[in-house]
Amino acid sequence: SFLERIEKIDSKVGSYLSVLGEDAVKRAMEIQEKIDKGEAKSPLSGIPVAIKDNICTEGIKTTCASKMLHNFVPPYNATVIKKLLDDNAVIIGKLNMDEFAMGGSTENSYFKPTKNPWDLERVPGGSSGGSAAAVAANLTAFALGSDTGGSIRQPASFCGVVGIKPTYGAVSRFGLVAFASSLDQIGPLTKDVTDCAVVLNCITGYDPMDSTSAKVEYPDYTKALVNDVKGLKIGIPKEYMGEGLNSEVREAVLNAVEVLRKLGAQCEEFSLPLTEYAIPAYYLISSAEASSNLARYDGIKYGYRAEKFTDLLDLYKQTRSEGFGTEVKRRIMLGTYALSSGYYDAYYKKALQVRTLIKKGFDEAFEKYDVILGPTAPTTAYKLGEKVNNPLEMYLGDIYTVSVNIAGLPGLVVPCGFDSKGLPIGLQLIGKPFDESTLLKVGYTFE
Ligand code: GLN
């Protein structure tokens, strides 16, 4: 039924880059047989899932929505894919995104923009806009996305679905095409918090293939699905509620605070004074890492290669000029500049120092609070074309999400209302490292 629905309406939404019709049906039948024989016990058995196109799928095109990888078919599966398949999930397709996950609206895809199912003239957010739109439009049961600075949470907010960026190290990055390795995490986009917990149970865990994977005890996240927030201490950063925040978004967030208060949570404002430095630090660090990570696309080993060139250096130049889009080039140039000798201390090193201070700010806050609560984005979904030519304005939209990646913390987004245009608003809950369970517990309150 999902495949039929994709056939019928995805030409309007544009969430898929590839759909695995017959192959998916065949696998679903095989799994049904297993289920009938009692051999498939995982709750994901036979459940359709779609995957952001920067997560490697063996034998299935993985393009990162870039001309550079338009024909790339990985010879291996990402660890998360292996885990989903081991749990008998059925992959039904790959989802649109901003090129190499750089962007916040999915308009930076080389192939096509994705539309917000709530209003087709508006963006679904990004970079995991295909993932959020597909879940919102009922074009998959759930999806995987990636989040480097908000790319799961902001589209979840814009499309009215649940999304979580897990703690850095909780989900293996093996097979995730790298954007900024110290910030990237894979996470689920789902219809509700219950599904989020079930998918987390599948994809979290230590992986020797990822040197930053964390060897800790991973709990059963479904145990957190209880209605009990009594006595929880919740902090609301006043810098997240001030200037620049749309008044309807603020109201919806404050309503959510009231709900939690009535249920016995202790909510109070506090200060995260370094918030204003989060965007510059994030764009320096992420672009620096991107400039290094994207150096591998040289037209030699795989991916796009320019047709006309004079010598080896020119082959690199032409390939990269033709293969990357504008935003990706902007990041590579910014990152290369920030890392060059003479500028390194002023920019990259300074950004790392700010990173340490931002982390410290959160550490201190978590001595007092169990959860930090706030908006996900300053606005609801905006119109296609509204910000795409103004990168700085687009970057400012990441103000409430990037610090979470900078500090490696988990961040859950759950729907908490609508604005007067009928567009969804997402509440962001930030937790202590590896304390996804408490976030799920608070999020479950709104289910
Ligand atoms: N919008 C942010 C950026 O463009 C976040 C992207 C992401 O999380 N992948 O970098």
Side-chain angles (χ1 to χ4, degrees), residues 19 37 41 55 73-74 87 99 109 122 133 164 166 188 202 257 261 266 274 278 296 298 327 358 379 396 404 441:
V19 180
K37 285 191 209 145
K41 297 232 159 60
I55 300 174
V73 179
D87 273 0
E99 184 178 1
S109 166
R122 290 175 189 272
I164 190 167
C202 169
V257 171
R261 242 188 215 132
Q266 297 168 27
L274 290 167
R296 72 191 67 175
D298 55 6
E327 184 59 29
I358 288 176
T379 65
L396 292 175
V404 173
K441 193 199 270 181

Side-chain angles (χ1 to χ4, degrees), residues 82-231:
K82 195 174 168 298
K83 281 175 173 280
L84 286 174
L85 295 177
D86 287 348
D87 273 0
N88 296 308
V90 180
I91 296 172
I92 58 172
K94 301 297 294 284
L95 297 163
N96 200 19
M97 53 184 282
D98 285 300
E99 184 178 1
F100 284 103
M102 297 172 187
S105 68
T106 314
E107 292 166 290
N108 292 338
S109 166
Y110 167 66
F111 301 102
K112 60 183 179 187
T114 296
K115 316 281 173 58
N116 190 315
W118 294 87
D119 176 348
L120 295 173
E121 287 180 7
R122 290 175 189 272
V123 301
S127 63
S128 312
S131 302
V135 173
N138 237 317
L139 297 168
T140 179
F142 72 98
L144 292 188
S146 69
D147 190 312
T148 304
S151 277
I152 290 173
R153 289 162 288 154
Q154 181 256 29
S157 176
F158 280 16
C159 291
V161 301
V162 170
I164 190 167
K165 183 204 86 77
T167 308
Y168 187 77
V171 178
S172 170
R173 289 183 298 111
F174 179 73
L176 168 67
V177 179
F179 164 7
S181 312
S182 78
L183 303 162
D184 299 340
Q185 271 292 283
I186 294 171
L189 291 107
T190 56
K191 286 190 188 306
D192 58 27
V193 175
T194 303
D195 286 1
C196 180
V198 170
V199 180
L200 275 184
N201 274 353
C202 169
I203 65 173
T204 54
Y206 172 68
D207 179 14
M209 298 300 279
D210 171 359
S211 64
T212 60
S213 174
K215 221 178 209 169
V216 297
E217 282 285 329
Y218 292 90
D220 175 355
Y221 296 101
T222 60
K223 294 246 163 70
L225 303 174
V226 290
N227 274 313
D228 179 21
V229 295
K230 211 185 224 141

